[in-house]
Amino acid sequence: MSHTLIQRMCEAVRSGEKMVLGDLNAFIDGVARRTLPVELIEVWLKCVHSHGISVEETTALTAGMMNSGAVLTWRGDSNVCDKHSTGGVGDKMSLILAPALAACGVRVPMLAGRGLGHTGGTIDKLESIPGFNCNLSPEKMSKTVESVGCCIAAQNDSIAPADGLLYAIRDVTDTVDSIPLITASIVSKKAAEGLNALVLDVKCGRAAFMKTEHDAVQLAESMVRTANGLGIKTIAQVTDMNEPIGTHIGNALEVTGSILVLQGHGSGDTRELVMLQGGQLLHLTGKTATLEEGKSRIARVLDNGQALETFVKMCVQQGTEIAVATKLALDPESVLPKSQRSTEFLSSQSGFVQSIDAMALAEVARELGAGRFSMEDEILHAVGFILTARKNEAITAGDKWITVHHEEPLSSEHITKLNHALRISDQKSAPFRRLIRTVDESEQ
Ligand code: URA
């Protein structure tokens, strides 16, 4: 029975004919209930990985995966929104964006992941805050959002359970890098949040999963079409991931970097990206008439303390003691874990910073314990970097450009890699632009 189903589905995929919707739904049901043999799931995944499927089929697969578990529903205004990032280095946007949007009056029931490969994960960052609990049931997510305006919870098996197994099988069968499978995996989980609007940050460059603009745009188009097909107003922003984002990299350090921005200062690069994503969501939900107005609203709640106040409320609702959350907002370093060692690196040349290699920093951070190589690895929350140099800024030989926070002594390979990560030139390069392009349905 299962054999015939998979055979029929694979024949349709190979010949480019449309799969029967009933077959697709029976497949997802078998995956979610764990009744379909793993070998058969592998056969179908490999077939889709090799031949691809249509946008309509991707949308049907995504809808089926979304409906394989709980789907959050919301009363009142159609103002429920979220963003997804395909993963970057120093990408701490969610920690700032969720409370900033909530402070602007929209609701954000954010599901987030742990670090993947060389990229950091929102949940690992939040778990460096004492008491913060990311394991929320769908009911607890709804309650937190209705009282605070936002929550950030770890993906779990009550939401889109079909994805949990499909992702695990893709991971071991080398079928992760398939645009329809990535689309269904990401969009099904976001759609299960019951969203009205979604912004996708599709990273592109050496330190991103999508190395070229062409591949990033293809993924962006697929996700935008699918999410819009499910009734979610969606726009993708394709952004540069060659240079690290902001000044702080690493789990606890990114919490500090986020709080600095929530205090109304911090890294300008990080603030700009939060304004861009948040402004877009305020515009998509109809809270503001234009993107520019949306960006100004986000800037206002960062400057007047309302976003920080919401962040503190979210921490308290998710388990952090009030006194700890309040102290965290005022002086994050007094609350967050600190590394045993720190080492400063100095520039060996004078000139202009041509680039800081985000991938090299991510690889060193992961090896020092900020990321995992296998699911059982423990994260060292205090490990990471604080950057004092920025692309295109002048630098003098002997100036500090990065401080490494670490637990174990640095190896000579790490020292060499970090020294090579800073490139200096005699001349300034063209101004750096994080946003490469926007993809919306009208363009496709
Ligand atoms: N993140 C996901 O959740 N799924 C993918 O397939 C890739 C990245």
Side-chain angles (χ1 to χ4, degrees):
M1 165 71 183
S2 306
H3 272 100
T4 338
L5 171 75
I6 298 297
Q7 214 169 23
R8 220 174 27 238
M9 288 174 77
C10 285
E11 269 163 26
V13 172
R14 279 193 211 100
S15 63
E17 274 169 30
K18 229 174 151 178
M19 273 179 292
V20 177
L21 191 58
D23 284 352
L24 195 52
N25 285 334
F27 170 81
I28 296 161
D29 192 54
V31 174
R33 288 171 191 268
R34 311 299 194 242
T35 52
L36 203 58
V38 168
E39 313 80 73
L40 293 182
I41 303 175
E42 277 182 28
V43 171
W44 186 78
L45 287 172
K46 284 182 182 162
C47 193
V48 173
H49 184 258
S50 304
H51 301 274
I53 53 174
S54 69
V55 176
E56 292 73 31
E57 288 167 312
T58 307
T59 308
L61 174 65
T62 310
M65 286 166 64
M66 164 184 89
N67 287 320
S68 69
V71 178
L72 303 182
T73 51
W74 303 97
R75 265 173 286 148
D77 287 353
S78 32
N79 65 359
V80 183
C81 60
D82 195 5
K83 73 104 202 185
H84 176 84
S85 159
T86 57
V89 179
D91 185 357
K92 54 193 85 58
M93 285 335 113
S94 297
L95 277 65
I96 311 164
L97 192 62
L101 281 164
C104 292
V106 293
R107 293 175 285 182
V108 189
M110 189 179 280
L111 278 171
R114 296 189 182 278
L116 193 64
H118 66 277
T119 64
T122 300
I123 298 303
D124 295 325
K125 293 168 200 180
L126 285 169
E127 284 180 351
S128 57
I129 302 174
F132 199 101
N133 173 24
C134 294
N135 297 318
L136 305 185
S137 63
E139 295 72 33
K140 176 74 181 163
M141 283 182 75
S142 301
K143 256 172 102 176
T144 308
V145 171
E146 294 302 10
S147 81
V148 177
C150 62
C151 72
I152 306 183
Q155 281 153 15
N156 62 68
D157 260 355
S158 38
I159 306 261
D163 181 60
L165 182 58
L166 288 179
Y167 193 89
I169 300 176
R170 285 166 61 209
D171 201 20
V172 292
T173 51
D174 270 341
T175 51
V176 170
D177 61 340
S178 148
I179 285 184
L181 296 179
I182 299 175
T183 299
S185 170
I186 291 173
V187 177
S188 62
K189 287 174 289 204
K190 289 290 153 185
E193 295 173 1
L195 302 181
N196 306 111
L198 173 64
V199 162
L200 298 160
D201 181 3
V202 183
K203 302 280 182 209
C204 160
R206 283 191 304 277
F209 291 112
M210 294 292 158
K211 305 289 178 210
T212 65
E213 186 175 336
H214 173 266
D215 288 354
V217 169
Q218 280 216 321
L219 177 61
E221 286 178 351
S222 168
M223 292 198 289
V224 166
R225 278 200 203 114
T226 303
N228 275 309
L230 295 175
I232 305 167
K233 286 185 188 161
T234 304
I235 277 185
Q237 296 167 342
V238 177
T239 59
D240 185 295
M241 198 55 261
N242 291 301
E243 302 292 318
I245 304 169
T247 46
H248 290 62
I249 300 167
N251 297 288
L253 289 168
E254 290 189 41
V255 175
T256 298
S258 301
I259 290 171
L260 294 177
V261 174
L262 286 164
Q263 287 172 341
H265 33 266
S267 135
D269 180 29
T270 308
R271 179 180 160 106
E272 278 295 313
L273 203 43
V274 171
M275 284 165 55
L276 184 68
Q277 296 172 351
Q280 188 69 76
L281 282 166
L282 291 179
H283 181 38
L284 284 175
T285 50
K287 270 272 164 191
T288 61
T290 62
L291 167 62
E292 283 312 312
E293 202 190 314
K295 286 165 74 173
S296 309
R297 284 280 283 280
I298 297 286
R300 201 182 319 150
V301 295
L302 293 176
D303 291 334
N304 68 13
Q306 287 178 358
L308 185 59
E309 205 177 300
T310 308
F311 178 81
V312 170
K313 285 186 190 156
M314 177 179 78
C315 290
V316 172
Q317 274 291 320
Q318 293 198 223
T320 302
E321 285 174 18
I322 294 185
V324 175
T326 310
K327 206 166 163 206
L328 177 74
L330 289 171
D331 181 12
E333 284 160 4
S334 68
V335 170
L336 294 167
K338 277 184 220 42
S339 64
Q340 294 192 32
R341 298 177 162 90
S342 70
T343 306
E344 294 183 350
F345 282 67
L346 311 180
S347 174
S348 58
Q349 266 176 280
S350 298
F352 293 94
V353 177
Q354 192 186 27
S355 73
I356 295 171
D357 185 343
M359 190 62 182
L361 299 192
E363 285 168 352
V364 174
R366 190 181 182 195
E367 283 164 20
L368 292 175
R372 296 183 186 79
F373 288 91
S374 80
M375 275 326 284
E376 302 77 48
D377 289 350
E378 286 269 332
I379 291 279
L380 300 178
H381 284 103
V383 165
F385 307 111
I386 299 181
L387 285 161
T388 33
R390 297 296 307 155
K391 185 173 164 74
N392 268 344
E393 278 178 8
I395 193 161
T396 306
D399 282 356
K400 176 174 76 175
W401 72 274
I402 193 170
T403 306
V404 184
H405 293 252
H406 52 115
E407 306 293 358
E408 297 299 327
L410 299 177
S411 68
S412 56
E413 287 81 16
H414 289 146
I415 293 170
T416 308
K417 200 161 185 172
L418 289 170
N419 281 328
H420 283 115
L422 176 70
R423 299 204 186 103
I424 309 282
S425 153
D426 290 345
Q427 282 157 10
K428 265 190 171 187
S429 11
F432 177 61
R433 286 182 36 228
R434 187 68 70 183
L435 179 66
I436 298 171
R437 60 181 279 195
T438 299
V439 174
D440 64 29
E441 196 135 57
S442 63
E443 286 186 37
Q444 298 173 32

